[in-house]
């Protein structure tokens, strides 16, 4: 986020447990508002796939459902935020996840005369989250999301959106690891709800409804806060 135009940039944070729909909603907001989705989970998976030093250190922690160290995550995030496509604003999906990350983000933004625009807390039911995460998979070509139980492609084995026929599942999307990820969320990330509430930037959304209803609620918030 290195340019002068950044003073007007929107910084939206999606907060919620695994399976709340952060990625799905971020993708829709990205298209609608010209913002860039920035998922630390995606960045870490890319680092693991590329076999970088950070990726090597993160791999086992991610497979166990724990949180990768703040130092690694912050370094990856900072690099990504420095890229020019973030100039209009970002949707942070899966970051911050700890108090230290939230404070570091504040510092990073303040150094550029910026601040968090809004934090949307996606409120969901824990047990439903495990079921959602355990069955999900995505199109390997376009990233469209599917689920064994809740959302199969209209034609079996063919992506509705791009016609692709290859699909992939995340290594950590199984019931056991999902439980550990949920526990990490409650222990380390949920306290951020109070942190942002205290700053007057928190919005709550019932994220148990349909994807479209949630999208409309979120779009109303983003319209209000975006420059
Ligand atoms: P996600 O794609 O957001 O579900 O993240 C997948 C995994 O990447 C998490 O279970 C963590 O191991 C790791 N991860 C992603 N974002 C963070 C973060 N902000 N802090 C620490 N670990 C993270």
């Amino acid at each position: 986020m290195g340019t002068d135009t950044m003073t007007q940039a929107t910084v939206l944070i999606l907060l919620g447990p695994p399976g709340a729909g952060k990625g799905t909603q971020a993708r829709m907001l990205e298209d609608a508002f010209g913002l860039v989705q920035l998922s630390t989970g995606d960045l870490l998976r890319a680092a693991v796939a590329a076999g970088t030093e950070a990726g090597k250190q993160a791999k086992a922690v991610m497979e166990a459902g724990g949180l990768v160290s703040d130092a690694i995550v912050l370094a990856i995030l900072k690099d990504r935020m420095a890229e020019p496509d973030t100039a209009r604003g970002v949707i942070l999906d899966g970051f911050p996840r700890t108090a230290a990350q939230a404070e570091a983000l504040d510092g990073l933004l303040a150094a550029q005369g910026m601040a968090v625009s809004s934090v949307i807390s996606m409120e969901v039911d824990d047990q439903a989250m495990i079921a959602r995460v355990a069955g999900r998979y995505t199109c390997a070509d376009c990233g469209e999301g599917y689920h064994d139980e809740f959302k199969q492609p209209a034609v079996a084995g063919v992506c509705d959106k791009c016609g692709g026929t290859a699909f992939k599942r995340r290594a950590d999307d199984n019931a056991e690891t999902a439980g550990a990820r949920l526990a990490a969320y409650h222990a380390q990330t949920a306290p951020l709800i109070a942190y942002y509430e205290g700053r007057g930037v928190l919005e709550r959304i019932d994220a148990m409804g349909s994807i479209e209803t949630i999208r409309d609620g979120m779009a109303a918030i983003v319209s209000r806060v975006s420059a």
Side-chain angles (χ1 to χ4, degrees), residues 174-223:
N174 56 72
E176 195 186 30
T177 311
R181 289 160 62 200
L182 200 53
Y185 173 79
H186 284 297
Q188 296 178 80
T189 309
L192 298 183
I193 295 174
Y195 176 84
Y196 287 117
E197 191 154 42
R199 293 174 176 231
V201 289
L202 188 82
E203 305 271 353
R204 293 172 192 271
I205 265 226
D206 175 0
M208 291 302 292
S210 76
I211 289 177
E212 292 71 27
T213 308
I214 299 164
R215 176 201 62 202
D216 293 349
M218 302 216 3
I221 294 168
V222 181
S223 300

Side-chain angles (χ1 to χ4, degrees), residues 97-150:
R97 259 174 157 102
T98 64
Q101 289 179 16
E103 282 158 21
L105 175 66
D106 284 343
L108 192 70
L109 295 175
Q112 299 181 61
M114 295 165 57
V116 169
S117 315
S118 185
V119 179
I120 305 183
S121 170
M122 302 181 69
E123 317 232 313
V124 290
D125 173 76
D126 270 13
Q127 282 320 306
M129 287 313 97
I130 307 256
R132 270 197 203 176
V133 166
R136 70 184 182 182
Y137 59 97
T138 53
C139 170
D141 293 327
C142 74
E144 182 71 357
Y146 295 97
H147 194 282
D148 291 330
E149 210 179 315
F150 310 127

Side-chain angles (χ1 to χ4, degrees), residues 81-99:
M81 295 250 288
E83 287 176 27
D85 65 334
T86 61
R88 214 166 137 199
V90 290
I91 306 165
L92 298 176
D93 157 10
F95 178 92
R97 259 174 157 102
T98 64

Side-chain angles (χ1 to χ4, degrees), residues 18-19 22 39-42 44-45 58 61-70 73 93-98 101 136 170 172-173 177 181 184:
K22 300 186 296 292
S39 154
T40 43
D42 285 348
L44 287 166
R45 279 184 287 280
V61 179
M62 293 172 76
E63 280 170 2
L67 292 187
V68 174
S69 76
D70 290 333
V73 173
D93 157 10
F95 178 92
R97 259 174 157 102
T98 64
Q101 289 179 16
R136 70 184 182 182
R170 283 170 45 173
D172 59 351
D173 276 351
T177 311
R181 289 160 62 200

